[in-house]
Amino acid sequence: MATWFPKNISTYGADIDAMFWLIFYIVGVGFIISEAVIIYAIFRHRKREGRRAAFLNGEKMSEFAWVLVPTAIVFVLDLGIDFAGSSVWSKVKGEAPPTDIHVIVTGKQFNWNFTYPGPDAKFGTDDDLTIENELHVPSNKPVRLVIKSEDVIHSFFVPTLRLKQDAVPGREIPAWFEATATGEYEIACAELCGYGHYTMRGFLFVHSSEDYAKWLAERWPSS
Ligand SMILES: [Cu+2]
C-alpha cells in the first residue's frame, strides 16, 4: 500500500508516512469494529412478529456505557497518537537545521513566487531575484523557507517532500526541508484560494551540487 504515496525525497518524509499509517490503522480498526457492531445490531434486533420495540433513554449505566467506553477509547488513542507524533512534530516544525540556503515563498492569486537573496545573502537588496513557480535547490542540503501570502490564505504543498504549510496574509511562517534525490517535482496550492486555484502549480528542481552552482552562476553572472 506504500505505493499509493507519491515518491518520498524528504529527510523527514518517512516519519510523516509512519504517522499516516499509525493513524490509518487505528481509524481502520475502529471503523471495522463499529460497522460490525452496527450490522450485528441490525440483524439481532430486526422486526419480528410479537416483539415490541424497546425504548431506551440511556439513563442506565449499562446503556450509557455504549457512549462512555468508546469515547474513553478514542481519547486514549488520541493521546497515543499525540505522543507518537510529538517527536515528528518537533523535527519538522521545531528548530530547522542550520543552512546558508534561504528562500522566501510568496503565495498570490495564482502563483508561487520564490525570492532568492542573491550573493550578498540578504533579502531586500538589489541582487534579490524573484522567480515565478520555480524553486531551485541543491540535493542533500537543508533549505529554509519563509512562507508568506500577498492576498488570501494559500497552502504551500510539495507532496514528494511531505511538506504542507499554510501561507497566511500578514504572517511570515518558517519551514524547512532537505531533498535527497535530484529531479523535478510538483508544487501545488492545497487551499481553495479563488477561481484560479487549480492553476497555482509550480515545480521544485532539485539539482546536484555542481548543477546548483551552475544555476547560481547563470542567475548572478557578475558574482
Ligand atoms: Cu492558492
Side-chain angles (χ1 to χ4, degrees):
M1 273 199 292
T3 52
W4 291 359
F5 283 157
K7 187 177 166 192
N8 167 35
I9 60 151
S10 171
T11 50
Y12 53 66
D15 302 286
I16 301 272
D17 292 354
M19 283 310 297
F20 179 95
W21 290 117
L22 176 70
I23 295 167
F24 177 84
Y25 286 122
I26 289 174
V27 174
V29 168
F31 175 77
I32 289 166
I33 292 173
S34 53
E35 291 306 303
V37 170
I38 288 170
I39 290 166
Y40 170 77
I42 288 170
F43 277 100
R44 177 79 178 74
H45 304 289
R46 67 187 182 277
K47 187 185 173 196
R48 280 192 198 138
E49 275 315 312
R51 203 169 74 176
R52 293 190 62 193
F55 176 70
L56 307 174
N57 58 15
E59 276 174 7
K60 269 195 251 162
M61 202 55 203
S62 62
E63 292 163 1
F64 189 51
W66 282 91
V67 175
L68 210 56
V69 171
T71 304
I73 292 171
V74 168
F75 181 67
V76 169
L77 288 172
D78 271 355
L79 287 180
I81 291 169
D82 289 347
F83 185 73
S86 62
S87 62
V88 183
W89 178 267
S90 63
K91 192 177 192 176
V92 178
K93 299 286 183 187
E95 193 60 32
T99 181
D100 54 356
I101 302 175
H102 296 258
V103 183
I104 295 175
V105 181
T106 310
K108 69 186 235 301
Q109 290 170 320
F110 295 95
N111 267 328
W112 291 110
N113 285 346
F114 299 101
T115 304
Y116 290 79
D120 67 356
K122 284 194 194 93
F123 287 106
T125 53
D126 287 344
D127 66 349
D128 288 11
L129 179 70
T130 298
I131 308 170
E132 261 182 17
N133 297 325
E134 282 188 23
L135 173 59
H136 293 262
V137 300
S139 61
N140 301 310
K141 263 198 111 172
V143 176
R144 281 206 204 198
L145 306 174
V146 172
I147 299 174
K148 302 198 228 180
S149 170
E150 249 176 55
D151 36 43
V152 300
I153 298 175
H154 301 277
S155 180
F156 182 69
F157 183 30
V158 192
T160 47
L161 291 176
R162 306 297 192 262
L163 171 62
K164 188 190 265 174
Q165 173 60 57
D166 273 8
V168 182
R171 286 189 61 187
E172 301 191 351
I173 302 173
W176 75 276
F177 67 87
E178 183 176 337
T180 55
T182 57
E184 189 181 323
Y185 308 99
E186 207 174 14
I187 298 170
C189 178
E191 183 77 53
L192 185 58
C193 57
Y195 66 87
H197 165 65
Y198 70 97
T199 65
M200 213 168 149
R201 185 190 193 206
F203 285 93
L204 165 72
F205 296 87
V206 182
H207 302 284
S208 64
S209 49
E210 302 82 57
D211 285 353
Y212 183 68
K214 227 183 277 171
W215 180 81
L216 287 178
E218 276 167 24
R219 297 287 146 163
W220 290 275
S222 53
S223 62

